[in-house]
Amino acid sequence: MHNMHDTLTLVESKSTILFIRFAGIPGQTDSYLFGFRQEQCDPAGCLIELCIQLAIVMVGKQIYNNAKELLLPVLCNWWRARKAKKAQDDLYTRWEQDYDLGSMPDLGLFDEYLEMVIQYGFVTLFVAAFPLAPLFALINNIIEIRLDAYKFISQWRRPMAERAQDIGVWWGILQAVTNVAVLTNGFIIAFTSDFVPKQVYKYTDDSTYVHEEGTLENYINSSLSVFYTKDFEQDTAPANNKSDIFGSVTECKYRDYREYKDGAYKPTLHYWYILAIRLAFVIVFEHAVFLFVNVITFVIPDTPYEVKVQILRENYLAKEALFSSK
């Protein structure tokens, strides 16, 4: 039950970031649930909301977790010591104080590993949206080392030592998170930023807006589509259109590649062209990153060559000593 609960905690911690964007198109805003309109992103995109949420997680939540890890054992030990003093007429020996200290949780270091894996997931999966996340993670881990040392030395009873060859299943989890992070950042760059559309505009011909190759002249106009105000759905038009200031407004523009055709706003050919290039960028980005990782892994092995030779030598000497003793 504990493992299932902590696994759900790991998944739940990421689900707050992986939200669904309910963003209907003009003339077809159908993002309603039980009569209520769903939350939508800013017209400039969802990246700023993701950045703010990550800042809260990497700064505010980590401060809260560190404060809880520091204060909770101290308060629990203080309460146990207070009860012991009352029961023994203020005679409280050293061994009794040590006995009343908190004990390591039944799952050992499971919670510590879980905390680090969750932090690693936030840092790697969405680093493109919040580039300062690794810095705040580093600061948190420096503080975490001292807090854990204080907790193990002065707030917990000495735990029983257990042998472990490695970090176990956590290594596979970290590898899975790393692989997913490559795809996540590729999609974030391709679909939530203007990187791909800008490169397409700079190095391809656009007959609608004349511009020099390699420049972004008239890019904003090329990325906007026309919406006719007569097509506003019921209860979606502005309550006050300020006609006394702007006059009679019959059309406005929004960020997308659509055109009005056959009574609906349909994607243009350029829309599908951009979408195809975005998907191609994700594939190229993913292959390039994995190729770079494999090259680094080959150049810098986990076990240096000198250490491997020394291990083989020790094994040889151990076998030779065994045979000579016989």
Side-chain angles (χ1 to χ4, degrees):
M1 289 298 293
H2 285 289
N3 292 337
M4 178 63 69
H5 171 73
D6 290 317
T7 303
L8 292 176
T9 302
L10 178 62
V11 174
E12 182 184 1
S13 63
K14 302 296 184 298
S15 63
T16 58
I17 301 293
L18 296 171
F19 59 90
I20 299 176
R21 178 184 178 184
F22 296 95
I25 62 174
Q28 192 180 343
T29 309
D30 54 359
S31 55
Y32 285 86
L33 184 64
F34 303 114
F36 296 98
R37 187 170 182 177
Q38 301 303 296
E39 182 182 1
Q40 295 184 353
C41 296
D42 187 87
C46 297
L47 201 60
I48 185 63
E49 284 89 348
L50 182 59
C51 179
I52 293 173
Q53 189 168 5
L54 280 171
I56 294 172
V57 170
M58 297 303 299
V59 180
K61 189 174 181 181
Q62 290 189 152
I63 293 175
Y64 168 76
N65 288 338
N66 287 335
K68 184 178 69 174
E69 284 192 23
L70 175 64
L71 296 177
L72 191 59
V74 173
L75 293 176
C76 291
N77 291 336
W78 171 80
W79 182 254
R80 282 191 293 266
R82 183 171 176 271
K83 292 173 63 178
K85 287 180 180 179
K86 284 185 177 181
Q88 301 181 15
D89 299 328
D90 294 335
L91 181 61
Y92 199 35
T93 60
R94 179 72 258 179
W95 71 267
E96 289 174 319
Q97 296 178 33
D98 293 341
Y99 180 78
D100 287 334
L101 291 176
S103 60
M104 178 180 286
D106 296 336
L107 294 177
L109 297 176
F110 188 91
D111 291 332
E112 302 293 336
Y113 276 118
L114 180 64
E115 181 182 0
M116 290 296 101
V117 169
I118 289 175
Q119 182 196 79
Y120 179 76
F122 280 124
V123 170
T124 55
L125 289 172
F126 311 104
V127 66
F130 187 54
L132 288 176
L135 174 62
F136 287 115
L138 174 63
I139 296 173
N140 172 78
N141 291 343
I142 294 174
I143 299 173
E144 182 84 13
I145 291 173
R146 306 312 307 165
L147 289 180
D148 287 342
Y150 171 75
K151 184 170 59 178
F152 273 89
I153 292 174
S154 63
Q155 301 302 316
W156 281 358
R157 294 197 297 266
R158 180 181 298 176
M160 297 295 293
E162 297 181 8
R163 286 189 175 185
Q165 183 177 1
D166 49 35
I167 62 175
V169 70
W170 295 107
W171 175 249
I173 294 175
L174 290 173
Q175 282 187 318
V177 171
T178 302
N179 295 334
V180 175
V182 176
L183 292 176
T184 302
N185 285 283
F187 276 104
I188 288 176
I189 296 173
F191 286 90
T192 65
S193 71
D194 285 337
F195 175 76
V196 172
K198 284 182 178 180
Q199 301 307 313
V200 172
Y201 184 82
K202 286 170 65 175
Y203 300 108
T204 58
D205 293 331
D206 190 338
S207 58
T208 306
Y209 297 95
V210 179
H211 67 284
E212 296 183 8
E213 185 177 354
T215 67
L216 292 174
E217 183 181 2
N218 290 325
Y219 167 74
I220 297 298
N221 288 330
S222 70
S223 64
L224 300 177
S225 299
V226 176
F227 171 70
Y228 298 101
T229 57
K230 64 180 178 61
D231 295 325
F232 270 123
E233 291 184 340
Q234 185 178 3
D235 300 328
T236 61
N240 182 10
N241 57 13
K242 297 184 179 181
S243 57
D244 55 331
I245 300 176
F246 301 106
S248 178
V249 178
T250 59
E251 64 180 42
C252 58
K253 292 188 176 183
Y254 62 99
R255 293 186 61 183
D256 206 344
Y257 299 97
R258 294 179 180 271
E259 60 182 353
Y260 186 78
K261 182 184 296 185
D262 299 331
Y265 293 89
K266 298 181 179 180
T268 62
L269 182 62
H270 195 65
Y271 171 90
W272 300 110
Y273 182 59
I274 294 290
L275 179 61
I277 294 181
R278 279 173 165 163
L279 294 175
F281 171 82
V282 173
I283 295 174
V284 173
F285 177 83
E286 173 255 337
H287 280 70
V289 171
F290 284 140
L291 176 62
F292 178 76
V293 170
N294 291 331
V295 170
I296 295 299
T297 303
F298 176 78
V299 174
I300 308 175
D302 294 336
T303 306
Y305 176 76
E306 293 80 5
V307 176
K308 287 183 178 180
V309 172
Q310 191 66 24
I311 293 174
L312 293 175
R313 182 175 181 275
E314 290 181 356
N315 293 335
Y316 171 76
L317 293 176
K319 291 180 180 179
E320 186 177 5
L322 179 63
F323 291 143
S324 61
S325 64
K326 293 181 179 180

